[in-house]
Amino acid sequence: MSTRYKFSFTTTDFQDMLAEFQQQVGPQGTGANYRLEGNEHTWELQNSFGTWSGQLLNLRDGLDLSLDELNIQEPLCLIAEAQIEPLFCWSFCVAGGSMTKFPDRGVEYSTCENEVYAGFLPGITNVVSEFAAGQKSTFVQVNASPRLFEMLAEASPDPCQSVLAQMLADTQAGFHGQMRKTTPAMMIVLHQILNCPYYGLTKRFYLESKTLELVALQLHQLSDSRIDLAATSVLK
């Protein structure tokens, strides 16, 4: 029986790839495998493991959207060692799946189709994501700074305000996360994001509104779960 080699791809490899692509970029900001247009980076990496197409968009100060589609032919291991600002993250698995590990935290979780991992990353983060061979995976990830949630909490009079306040309080506890099922309403918004029909500034406004809608649906889900938990406690 043959053993497939696991292809490892680090943050340094990714940065080197972008640097190489940028050397190919023409006056319009495009190259064979890379495009830089305003707040958007788009790339396609083809290697022995398969293909990885990605988009990274800065939608506003403190709010980023990442779209990734991977067609994996050989086992793939993505290793990210990044110095980041503290942020909330939501990783929605639209298709396929992966195993994600935080070695420094002793935490690992598997994400399957129609699941979302929601968590808080306090800063320097080492992340290992593993993908099995012979599958296509699609992920939508939202990263938001605590500053953005502070503004939302101040402006929100509805039941989600308590959820926002609790999320901000949880930042003092450091790293944490949990798995949730993606609701039908979330899936609709996710497919709208992945199939955005617009370009330029209209695209940015559209994706910003849809990303905030996605966050709102997540907050609503958390709010409902807390209400259900409180009701169960009362019944007991």
Side-chain angles (χ1 to χ4, degrees), residues 114-167:
N114 298 331
E115 289 185 339
V116 52
Y117 175 83
F120 175 74
L121 304 179
I124 299 175
T125 302
N126 297 324
V127 186
V128 178
S129 299
E130 298 181 349
F131 300 86
Q135 72 169 350
K136 295 182 179 179
S137 297
T138 302
F139 290 88
V140 174
Q141 181 164 312
V142 178
N143 294 333
S145 71
R147 297 189 307 275
L148 179 62
F149 281 92
E150 289 170 359
M151 292 187 296
L152 292 174
E154 292 173 358
S156 174
D158 59 33
C160 285
Q161 184 179 34
S162 61
V163 176
L164 284 170
Q166 184 59 53
M167 288 175 64

Side-chain angles (χ1 to χ4, degrees), residues 102-113:
F102 295 88
D104 294 347
R105 316 281 179 178
V107 174
E108 65 178 57
Y109 65 90
S110 61
T111 306
C112 301
E113 188 171 324

Side-chain angles (χ1 to χ4, degrees), residues 9 22-23 40 54 65 80 90 100 109 113 116 127 139 161 194 235:
F9 193 73
Q22 286 172 339
Q23 291 177 1
E40 179 181 351
L65 175 66
W90 291 268
T100 302
Y109 65 90
E113 188 171 324
V116 52
V127 186
F139 290 88
Q161 184 179 34
L194 290 168
L235 287 173

